[in-house]
Amino acid sequence: MSLKDVFCQDKAVSLLQRVFCAGRIPHAYIFAGPDGVGKFKTALEWARLLLCKDPLVKNGVETADSCGTCQSCRAVEGNCHPDFNVIHKELVEFTKDGKDKKTPVDLPIAVIREFLVDKVCTRPTLSQRKVYIVSEAEKLNTASQNSLLKVLEEPPGYCCIILLCTRLDRLLPTTRSRCQIVRFGPVDEEKIFERLSQTGLGRDQAVYFSRLSQGSIGLACRWAQLEQTDAGLYALKTNLLDSVAKLKFENVPDVAADLLDKSKAIAKAWSELENDTSKKDIDRMASKSLVGMVIAALHDAMKLNVKPEDEAVNFDQKKRIEELAGRFTAQELAEKISGCYEILRWIEAGVNEKLVFEQLLFNLAESDRMTV
Ligand SMILES: [Zn+2]
């Protein structure tokens, strides 16, 4: 791969290429945008270009790309480039005092200090530059950001740091102001649909996942992968909507227990497909996907009451959406959606999964017209 192969982020890519051609490359970037829209892929290809020994530059049209064949490009490809580093919270167990430490929720200062701040002063060995990609920069806590700030204030001339961030508001103004911000927008639903269809996914599944993903092609592809396993998400969502549309208070524990089993099966299938994501993150991704499905159904029901002509995410279960819309007013649906977002925050905070699903479902059952 190279920069020209980055999917649907032409604006960000051409901005980087112009900067490269002009030879004025900032020492620190924030790539800001939702999860799964190509921030990491772009950062990786940008790093490959910055490190390349023989970059392909066309000044007239201001495009630039890595050569793909030099020693540096091959080292990035082989994941063994001495001047290229990806910093992520899972590195905690390789810090001095990190033995037996579990993956933390935030990006701890020990990781930033030992893998970035302490190492940035040694000169590059293979290329002319050193590149650091910091994943999930929204999880940098204040101590980590303050530690990083020292480098951002006076970066060595050869260094380029790229912070990947889904929430700019989580970064301190002092961090933000020292970085060039490059924005990454959601990918078009149509493009995601095309990509999913190319993998052999059925039309209904491809439409559903592309709408549900809200522009996160990475997430849509991960869901699509599950369809090849026993933990197919599409069948699960069909059953989930059947249960949720007429959920009774007394059925909540059973439905929640079933959802918990399904979530575990999804996490298990995912962990067999990807080995560089921590178990905790995979568990969270599975629970969040299920909550996301409920949110989409509630949104559909709300739109049915207010703007019926809009195309639903759950276009294939209109009857269930009508049942939900019949049970709750738009105001109630809005409150339930906001309750679901609160549950997403619980998941981020590491609240027990059983509790998460019970709360999710009680939220959907509780204000059903109860006879007094
Ligand atoms: Zn090269």
Side-chain angles (χ1 to χ4, degrees):
M1 257 194 80
S2 65
L3 267 179
K4 69 174 178 348
D5 303 315
V6 171
F7 195 68
C8 286
Q9 291 298 347
D10 302 354
K11 227 167 130 185
V13 167
S14 81
L15 172 80
L16 295 169
Q17 289 179 317
R18 284 200 308 274
V19 163
F20 190 87
C21 292
R24 291 190 302 270
I25 298 157
H27 293 296
Y29 279 98
I30 297 171
F31 284 7
D35 262 332
V37 296
K39 298 190 300 296
F40 181 78
K41 281 210 168 74
T42 310
L44 176 65
E45 296 312 326
W46 178 233
R48 203 195 305 259
L49 172 59
L50 292 175
L51 298 169
C52 178
K53 288 174 172 293
D54 190 17
L56 313 166
V57 179
K58 288 185 197 159
N59 273 320
V61 283
E62 294 196 310
T63 66
D65 221 327
S66 52
C67 75
T69 52
C70 72
Q71 194 189 356
S72 167
C73 283
R74 278 183 284 125
V76 174
E77 190 66 44
N79 206 13
C80 58
H81 199 302
D83 306 320
F84 174 59
N85 304 276
V86 180
I87 312 293
H88 45 93
K89 61 184 186 310
E90 288 74 18
L91 287 173
V92 73
E93 66 172 298
F94 303 106
T95 56
K96 275 185 217 122
D97 303 320
K99 202 172 168 287
D100 301 327
K101 268 196 187 159
K102 286 192 181 153
T103 305
V105 173
D106 60 357
L107 224 167
I109 184 168
V111 170
I112 294 297
R113 197 162 38 206
E114 292 176 38
F115 287 91
L116 199 160
V117 180
D118 291 352
K119 292 200 171 155
V120 78
C121 350
T122 54
R123 296 195 61 81
T125 50
L126 176 58
S127 296
Q128 298 294 313
R129 293 189 175 89
K130 280 180 100 161
V131 180
Y132 291 86
I133 296 177
V134 180
S135 287
E136 300 183 284
E138 67 280 359
K139 293 184 178 165
L140 286 163
N141 56 36
T142 308
S144 306
Q145 288 193 52
N146 283 331
S147 168
L148 185 62
L149 213 52
K150 286 178 210 143
V151 180
L152 295 177
E153 275 165 355
E154 288 178 55
Y158 49 76
C159 143
C160 182
I161 297 171
I162 307 161
L163 307 179
L164 309 182
C165 186
T166 55
R167 296 272 310 265
L168 268 181
D169 59 314
R170 295 276 170 90
L171 295 179
L172 299 171
T174 40
T175 306
R176 288 203 300 264
S177 67
R178 282 169 177 81
C179 301
Q180 168 89 41
I181 298 175
V182 181
R183 307 232 176 219
F184 287 71
V187 175
D188 282 349
E189 185 187 303
E190 201 50 39
K191 300 271 184 197
I192 300 179
F193 173 76
E194 276 170 32
R195 172 62 70 90
L196 296 184
S197 302
Q198 284 162 7
T199 67
L201 202 65
R203 187 187 171 277
D204 282 2
Q205 284 94 328
V207 171
Y208 176 73
F209 289 136
S210 57
R211 289 185 184 169
L212 183 70
S213 72
Q214 296 183 297
S216 171
I217 189 164
L219 202 49
C221 290
R222 277 175 153 148
W223 290 329
Q225 269 185 319
L226 287 176
E227 296 303 302
Q228 319 286 336
T229 71
D230 292 339
L233 211 57
Y234 186 72
L236 192 166
K237 91 97 189 170
T238 312
N239 294 334
L240 178 62
L241 244 69
D242 288 346
S243 317
V244 159
K246 42 190 160 204
L247 189 64
K248 296 263 188 311
F249 208 73
E250 62 269 25
N251 298 337
V252 166
D254 287 345
V255 180
D258 184 45
L259 216 47
L260 180 62
D261 287 346
K262 300 277 170 46
S263 180
K264 284 185 174 154
I266 293 170
K268 185 167 175 287
W270 262 332
S271 59
E272 282 162 11
L273 293 167
E274 357 190 328
N275 35 28
D276 55 351
T277 311
S278 78
K279 188 184 174 304
K280 259 191 188 171
D281 280 352
I282 285 184
D283 289 347
R284 271 190 214 124
M285 199 160 67
S287 314
K288 279 161 76 178
S289 296
L290 299 183
V291 178
M293 288 172 162
V294 172
I295 293 178
L298 294 171
H299 262 296
D300 283 345
M302 197 161 85
K303 281 194 293 190
L304 201 66
N305 279 334
V306 191
K307 269 164 77 181
E309 73 278 12
D310 267 20
E311 294 216 34
V313 176
N314 294 284
F315 67 98
D316 50 345
Q317 283 183 290
K318 278 198 177 124
K319 197 161 175 295
R320 298 296 177 226
I321 298 302
E322 281 165 12
E323 283 167 8
L324 273 175
R327 270 175 66 199
F328 305 118
T329 64
Q331 173 68 27
E332 284 168 337
L333 287 165
E335 283 163 10
K336 288 178 191 308
I337 290 170
S338 126
C340 288
Y341 279 105
E342 180 59 28
I343 288 167
L344 287 177
R345 283 190 283 276
W346 283 21
I347 296 172
E348 277 302 326
V351 172
N352 172 292
E353 266 186 305
K354 183 169 179 281
L355 205 61
V356 160
F357 291 127
E358 283 182 352
Q359 183 60 33
L360 173 76
L361 296 170
F362 276 129
N363 174 34
L364 296 176
E366 65 184 353
S367 66
D368 200 4
R369 313 283 185 270
M370 289 172 78
T371 44
V372 184

